[in-house]
Amino acid sequence: MDFTLTRKAIEAEKRYESEKVQTHLRAEAMVLGAGRENVDVLLSDCRVRITSVQAQPDRVTCQGEAVCQAAYRVDSQSGARAANASVPVSCAFDMKGVLSGMTAKVFSEDNEVNARYENGHMVFDVYLTLNACVTSLVPVNVIVGSENASELQTKYDEIRPVK
């Protein structure tokens, strides 16, 4: 039984390396309307935005910003108020074998935010887990057809490049 397979060469994205780093950030914001009164923090949160990621020889660097928010209440007032602060995020990941020009992405995985009032300021302690993932394009041969293979079971899925 002779059959012929038709192949096509394409580039596929392959995960090359990944690395996690934990970091601590501190941000402060002025709290208006609070003197010597008690300030109760009701809730706090943080949003991380990575603005630039760069693959360099044997490392990946990223820059971004963490924006912190807290809702609080001052004893003498009945309504809640909000405080916002931002702090730059900068991190370097040591990754052997990474080359300039590879595709790199950095994600913020876990954010733990603790806000507290100190001397007229809302102080945010942010604990981040940043995950860097490096991918590269590798050539692969995929089967796109067959001839004289009536006894073989075949199933085809269309492959579309996404760039």
Side-chain angles (χ1 to χ4, degrees), residues 133-157:
C133 183
V134 177
T135 58
S136 62
L137 293 176
V138 295
V140 294
N141 290 319
V142 294
I143 298 171
V144 293
S146 62
E147 293 177 14
N148 302 326
S150 60
E151 295 181 15
L152 293 177
Q153 290 184 356
T154 58
K155 179 183 176 188
Y156 297 100
D157 285 331

PDB file of all heavy atoms in Angstrom, residues 133-157:
ATOM      1  N   CYS A 133       7.308  35.561  30.056  1.00  0.00           N
ATOM      2  CA  CYS A 133       7.253  34.413  29.153  1.00  0.00           C
ATOM      3  C   CYS A 133       7.900  34.817  27.833  1.00  0.00           C
ATOM      4  O   CYS A 133       7.552  35.840  27.259  1.00  0.00           O
ATOM      5  CB  CYS A 133       5.804  33.994  28.941  1.00  0.00           C
ATOM      6  SG  CYS A 133       5.631  32.545  27.902  1.00  0.00           S
ATOM      7  N   VAL A 134       8.864  34.024  27.375  1.00  0.00           N
ATOM      8  CA  VAL A 134       9.571  34.297  26.128  1.00  0.00           C
ATOM      9  C   VAL A 134       9.219  33.204  25.131  1.00  0.00           C
ATOM     10  O   VAL A 134       9.269  32.013  25.461  1.00  0.00           O
ATOM     11  CB  VAL A 134      11.094  34.351  26.350  1.00  0.00           C
ATOM     12  CG1 VAL A 134      11.831  34.571  25.044  1.00  0.00           C
ATOM     13  CG2 VAL A 134      11.444  35.429  27.350  1.00  0.00           C
ATOM     14  N   THR A 135       8.858  33.632  23.924  1.00  0.00           N
ATOM     15  CA  THR A 135       8.541  32.676  22.873  1.00  0.00           C
ATOM     16  C   THR A 135       9.414  32.952  21.655  1.00  0.00           C
ATOM     17  O   THR A 135       9.925  34.056  21.485  1.00  0.00           O
ATOM     18  CB  THR A 135       7.058  32.760  22.461  1.00  0.00           C
ATOM     19  OG1 THR A 135       6.766  34.083  22.031  1.00  0.00           O
ATOM     20  CG2 THR A 135       6.144  32.383  23.607  1.00  0.00           C
ATOM     21  N   SER A 136       9.554  31.940  20.826  1.00  0.00           N
ATOM     22  CA  SER A 136      10.282  32.107  19.575  1.00  0.00           C
ATOM     23  C   SER A 136       9.535  31.348  18.487  1.00  0.00           C
ATOM     24  O   SER A 136       8.769  30.431  18.770  1.00  0.00           O
ATOM     25  CB  SER A 136      11.720  31.599  19.701  1.00  0.00           C
ATOM     26  OG  SER A 136      11.720  30.225  19.990  1.00  0.00           O
ATOM     27  N   LEU A 137       9.756  31.757  17.247  1.00  0.00           N
ATOM     28  CA  LEU A 137       9.141  31.078  16.113  1.00  0.00           C
ATOM     29  C   LEU A 137      10.067  29.970  15.634  1.00  0.00           C
ATOM     30  O   LEU A 137      11.254  30.197  15.434  1.00  0.00           O
ATOM     31  CB  LEU A 137       8.868  32.065  14.978  1.00  0.00           C
ATOM     32  CG  LEU A 137       7.810  33.121  15.266  1.00  0.00           C
ATOM     33  CD1 LEU A 137       7.698  34.088  14.095  1.00  0.00           C
ATOM     34  CD2 LEU A 137       6.465  32.491  15.555  1.00  0.00           C
ATOM     35  N   VAL A 138       9.507  28.767  15.475  1.00  0.00           N
ATOM     36  CA  VAL A 138      10.283  27.625  15.009  1.00  0.00           C
ATOM     37  C   VAL A 138       9.590  27.038  13.778  1.00  0.00           C
ATOM     38  O   VAL A 138       8.362  27.019  13.708  1.00  0.00           O
ATOM     39  CB  VAL A 138      10.444  26.545  16.105  1.00  0.00           C
ATOM     40  CG1 VAL A 138      11.257  27.058  17.265  1.00  0.00           C
ATOM     41  CG2 VAL A 138       9.096  26.055  16.587  1.00  0.00           C
ATOM     42  N   PRO A 139      10.363  26.569  12.787  1.00  0.00           N
ATOM     43  CA  PRO A 139       9.730  25.968  11.602  1.00  0.00           C
ATOM     44  C   PRO A 139       9.226  24.558  11.922  1.00  0.00           C
ATOM     45  O   PRO A 139       9.908  23.785  12.601  1.00  0.00           O
ATOM     46  CB  PRO A 139      10.860  25.930  10.576  1.00  0.00           C
ATOM     47  CG  PRO A 139      12.114  25.968  11.381  1.00  0.00           C
ATOM     48  CD  PRO A 139      11.798  26.676  12.665  1.00  0.00           C
ATOM     49  N   VAL A 140       8.022  24.254  11.463  1.00  0.00           N
ATOM     50  CA  VAL A 140       7.451  22.917  11.619  1.00  0.00           C
ATOM     51  C   VAL A 140       6.807  22.514  10.294  1.00  0.00           C
ATOM     52  O   VAL A 140       6.399  23.363   9.505  1.00  0.00           O
ATOM     53  CB  VAL A 140       6.407  22.840  12.752  1.00  0.00           C
ATOM     54  CG1 VAL A 140       7.032  23.068  14.101  1.00  0.00           C
ATOM     55  CG2 VAL A 140       5.268  23.798  12.519  1.00  0.00           C
ATOM     56  N   ASN A 141       6.757  21.220  10.055  1.00  0.00           N
ATOM     57  CA  ASN A 141       6.085  20.681   8.870  1.00  0.00           C
ATOM     58  C   ASN A 141       4.765  20.072   9.305  1.00  0.00           C
ATOM     59  O   ASN A 141       4.734  19.207  10.185  1.00  0.00           O
ATOM     60  CB  ASN A 141       6.942  19.620   8.189  1.00  0.00           C
ATOM     61  CG  ASN A 141       8.149  20.222   7.523  1.00  0.00           C
ATOM     62  OD1 ASN A 141       8.048  21.271   6.906  1.00  0.00           O
ATOM     63  ND2 ASN A 141       9.291  19.559   7.632  1.00  0.00           N
ATOM     64  N   VAL A 142       3.686  20.513   8.687  1.00  0.00           N
ATOM     65  CA  VAL A 142       2.370  19.971   9.009  1.00  0.00           C
ATOM     66  C   VAL A 142       1.834  19.248   7.776  1.00  0.00           C
ATOM     67  O   VAL A 142       2.123  19.617   6.634  1.00  0.00           O
ATOM     68  CB  VAL A 142       1.391  21.065   9.463  1.00  0.00           C
ATOM     69  CG1 VAL A 142       1.838  21.675  10.774  1.00  0.00           C
ATOM     70  CG2 VAL A 142       1.220  22.137   8.419  1.00  0.00           C
ATOM     71  N   ILE A 143       1.063  18.201   8.017  1.00  0.00           N
ATOM     72  CA  ILE A 143       0.461  17.442   6.926  1.00  0.00           C
ATOM     73  C   ILE A 143      -0.803  18.171   6.491  1.00  0.00           C
ATOM     74  O   ILE A 143      -1.685  18.460   7.302  1.00  0.00           O
ATOM     75  CB  ILE A 143       0.137  16.006   7.378  1.00  0.00           C
ATOM     76  CG1 ILE A 143       1.424  15.292   7.781  1.00  0.00           C
ATOM     77  CG2 ILE A 143      -0.604  15.242   6.292  1.00  0.00           C
ATOM     78  CD1 ILE A 143       1.207  13.955   8.443  1.00  0.00           C
ATOM     79  N   VAL A 144      -0.882  18.485   5.205  1.00  0.00           N
ATOM     80  CA  VAL A 144      -2.046  19.212   4.681  1.00  0.00           C
ATOM     81  C   VAL A 144      -2.889  18.343   3.746  1.00  0.00           C
ATOM     82  O   VAL A 144      -3.948  18.771   3.310  1.00  0.00           O
ATOM     83  CB  VAL A 144      -1.620  20.515   3.967  1.00  0.00           C
ATOM     84  CG1 VAL A 144      -1.037  21.495   4.954  1.00  0.00           C
ATOM     85  CG2 VAL A 144      -0.665  20.234   2.835  1.00  0.00           C
ATOM     86  N   GLY A 145      -2.442  17.139   3.434  1.00  0.00           N
ATOM     87  CA  GLY A 145      -3.229  16.270   2.572  1.00  0.00           C
ATOM     88  C   GLY A 145      -2.600  14.904   2.411  1.00  0.00           C
ATOM     89  O   GLY A 145      -1.449  14.677   2.803  1.00  0.00           O
ATOM     90  N   SER A 146      -3.380  13.980   1.854  1.00  0.00           N
ATOM     91  CA  SER A 146      -2.874  12.629   1.604  1.00  0.00           C
ATOM     92  C   SER A 146      -3.513  12.088   0.330  1.00  0.00           C
ATOM     93  O   SER A 146      -4.633  12.450  -0.024  1.00  0.00           O
ATOM     94  CB  SER A 146      -3.158  11.715   2.792  1.00  0.00           C
ATOM     95  OG  SER A 146      -4.554  11.612   2.995  1.00  0.00           O
ATOM     96  N   GLU A 147      -2.781  11.204  -0.347  1.00  0.00           N
ATOM     97  CA  GLU A 147      -3.276  10.561  -1.562  1.00  0.00           C
ATOM     98  C   GLU A 147      -3.109   9.054  -1.414  1.00  0.00           C
ATOM     99  O   GLU A 147      -2.128   8.585  -0.827  1.00  0.00           O
ATOM    100  CB  GLU A 147      -2.500  11.047  -2.783  1.00  0.00           C
ATOM    101  CG  GLU A 147      -2.729  12.511  -3.112  1.00  0.00           C
ATOM    102  CD  GLU A 147      -1.878  12.960  -4.303  1.00  0.00           C
ATOM    103  OE1 GLU A 147      -1.336  12.105  -5.027  1.00  0.00           O
ATOM    104  OE2 GLU A 147      -1.759  14.180  -4.476  1.00  0.00           O
ATOM    105  N   ASN A 148      -4.051   8.312  -1.964  1.00  0.00           N
ATOM    106  CA  ASN A 148      -4.040   6.851  -1.919  1.00  0.00           C
ATOM    107  C   ASN A 148      -3.995   6.323  -0.487  1.00  0.00           C
ATOM    108  O   ASN A 148      -3.309   5.345  -0.197  1.00  0.00           O
ATOM    109  CB  ASN A 148      -2.863   6.272  -2.717  1.00  0.00           C
ATOM    110  CG  ASN A 148      -2.888   6.695  -4.154  1.00  0.00           C
ATOM    111  OD1 ASN A 148      -3.958   6.844  -4.734  1.00  0.00           O
ATOM    112  ND2 ASN A 148      -1.723   6.899  -4.736  1.00  0.00           N
ATOM    113  N   ALA A 149      -4.682   6.986   0.412  1.00  0.00           N
ATOM    114  CA  ALA A 149      -4.693   6.572   1.823  1.00  0.00           C
ATOM    115  C   ALA A 149      -6.114   6.276   2.263  1.00  0.00           C
ATOM    116  O   ALA A 149      -6.572   6.733   3.293  1.00  0.00           O
ATOM    117  CB  ALA A 149      -4.077   7.666   2.685  1.00  0.00           C
ATOM    118  N   SER A 150      -6.809   5.479   1.467  1.00  0.00           N
ATOM    119  CA  SER A 150      -8.220   5.205   1.763  1.00  0.00           C
ATOM    120  C   SER A 150      -8.392   4.378   3.037  1.00  0.00           C
ATOM    121  O   SER A 150      -9.435   4.436   3.679  1.00  0.00           O
ATOM    122  CB  SER A 150      -8.871   4.496   0.576  1.00  0.00           C
ATOM    123  OG  SER A 150      -8.206   3.271   0.324  1.00  0.00           O
ATOM    124  N   GLU A 151      -7.388   3.607   3.402  1.00  0.00           N
ATOM    125  CA  GLU A 151      -7.503   2.775   4.603  1.00  0.00           C
ATOM    126  C   GLU A 151      -7.080   3.516   5.867  1.00  0.00           C
ATOM    127  O   GLU A 151      -7.247   2.999   6.964  1.00  0.00           O
ATOM    128  CB  GLU A 151      -6.681   1.505   4.424  1.00  0.00           C
ATOM    129  CG  GLU A 151      -7.219   0.632   3.306  1.00  0.00           C
ATOM    130  CD  GLU A 151      -6.409  -0.640   3.146  1.00  0.00           C
ATOM    131  OE1 GLU A 151      -5.628  -0.980   4.057  1.00  0.00           O
ATOM    132  OE2 GLU A 151      -6.554  -1.292   2.108  1.00  0.00           O
ATOM    133  N   LEU A 152      -6.497   4.683   5.735  1.00  0.00           N
ATOM    134  CA  LEU A 152      -6.100   5.469   6.906  1.00  0.00           C
ATOM    135  C   LEU A 152      -7.228   6.403   7.301  1.00  0.00           C
ATOM    136  O   LEU A 152      -7.903   6.987   6.458  1.00  0.00           O
ATOM    137  CB  LEU A 152      -4.855   6.309   6.598  1.00  0.00           C
ATOM    138  CG  LEU A 152      -3.558   5.577   6.349  1.00  0.00           C
ATOM    139  CD1 LEU A 152      -2.460   6.585   5.994  1.00  0.00           C
ATOM    140  CD2 LEU A 152      -3.134   4.789   7.575  1.00  0.00           C
ATOM    141  N   GLN A 153      -7.419   6.523   8.597  1.00  0.00           N
ATOM    142  CA  GLN A 153      -8.389   7.505   9.084  1.00  0.00           C
ATOM    143  C   GLN A 153      -7.687   8.852   9.169  1.00  0.00           C
ATOM    144  O   GLN A 153      -6.592   8.950   9.734  1.00  0.00           O
ATOM    145  CB  GLN A 153      -8.916   7.120  10.464  1.00  0.00           C
ATOM    146  CG  GLN A 153      -9.799   5.907  10.450  1.00  0.00           C
ATOM    147  CD  GLN A 153     -10.360   5.628  11.831  1.00  0.00           C
ATOM    148  OE1 GLN A 153     -10.031   6.284  12.802  1.00  0.00           O
ATOM    149  NE2 GLN A 153     -11.228   4.636  11.904  1.00  0.00           N
ATOM    150  N   THR A 154      -8.297   9.857   8.609  1.00  0.00           N
ATOM    151  CA  THR A 154      -7.676  11.185   8.623  1.00  0.00           C
ATOM    152  C   THR A 154      -8.664  12.218   9.116  1.00  0.00           C
ATOM    153  O   THR A 154      -9.881  12.088   8.943  1.00  0.00           O
ATOM    154  CB  THR A 154      -7.209  11.585   7.204  1.00  0.00           C
ATOM    155  OG1 THR A 154      -8.337  11.558   6.331  1.00  0.00           O
ATOM    156  CG2 THR A 154      -6.126  10.658   6.684  1.00  0.00           C
ATOM    157  N   LYS A 155      -8.114  13.243   9.723  1.00  0.00           N
ATOM    158  CA  LYS A 155      -8.907  14.397  10.171  1.00  0.00           C
ATOM    159  C   LYS A 155      -8.024  15.620   9.992  1.00  0.00           C
ATOM    160  O   LYS A 155      -6.862  15.621  10.398  1.00  0.00           O
ATOM    161  CB  LYS A 155      -9.311  14.257  11.635  1.00  0.00           C
ATOM    162  CG  LYS A 155     -10.104  15.443  12.135  1.00  0.00           C
ATOM    163  CD  LYS A 155     -10.431  15.327  13.599  1.00  0.00           C
ATOM    164  CE  LYS A 155     -11.136  16.594  14.045  1.00  0.00           C
ATOM    165  NZ  LYS A 155     -11.315  16.633  15.484  1.00  0.00           N
ATOM    166  N   TYR A 156      -8.564  16.653   9.386  1.00  0.00           N
ATOM    167  CA  TYR A 156      -7.799  17.859   9.119  1.00  0.00           C
ATOM    168  C   TYR A 156      -8.448  19.046   9.801  1.00  0.00           C
ATOM    169  O   TYR A 156      -9.666  19.168   9.833  1.00  0.00           O
ATOM    170  CB  TYR A 156      -7.721  18.139   7.609  1.00  0.00           C
ATOM    171  CG  TYR A 156      -6.988  17.066   6.836  1.00  0.00           C
ATOM    172  CD1 TYR A 156      -7.674  16.089   6.135  1.00  0.00           C
ATOM    173  CD2 TYR A 156      -5.606  17.048   6.832  1.00  0.00           C
ATOM    174  CE1 TYR A 156      -6.996  15.111   5.436  1.00  0.00           C
ATOM    175  CE2 TYR A 156      -4.918  16.077   6.135  1.00  0.00           C
ATOM    176  CZ  TYR A 156      -5.623  15.113   5.440  1.00  0.00           C
ATOM    177  OH  TYR A 156      -4.942  14.148   4.753  1.00  0.00           O
ATOM    178  N   ASP A 157      -7.618  19.911  10.343  1.00  0.00           N
ATOM    179  CA  ASP A 157      -8.053  21.203  10.869  1.00  0.00           C
ATOM    180  C   ASP A 157      -7.278  22.276  10.121  1.00  0.00           C
ATOM    181  O   ASP A 157      -6.075  22.126   9.886  1.00  0.00           O
ATOM    182  CB  ASP A 157      -7.758  21.334  12.381  1.00  0.00           C
ATOM    183  CG  ASP A 157      -8.727  20.528  13.218  1.00  0.00           C
ATOM    184  OD1 ASP A 157      -9.862  20.346  12.783  1.00  0.00           O
ATOM    185  OD2 ASP A 157      -8.315  20.071  14.308  1.00  0.00           O
TER     186      ASP A 157
END
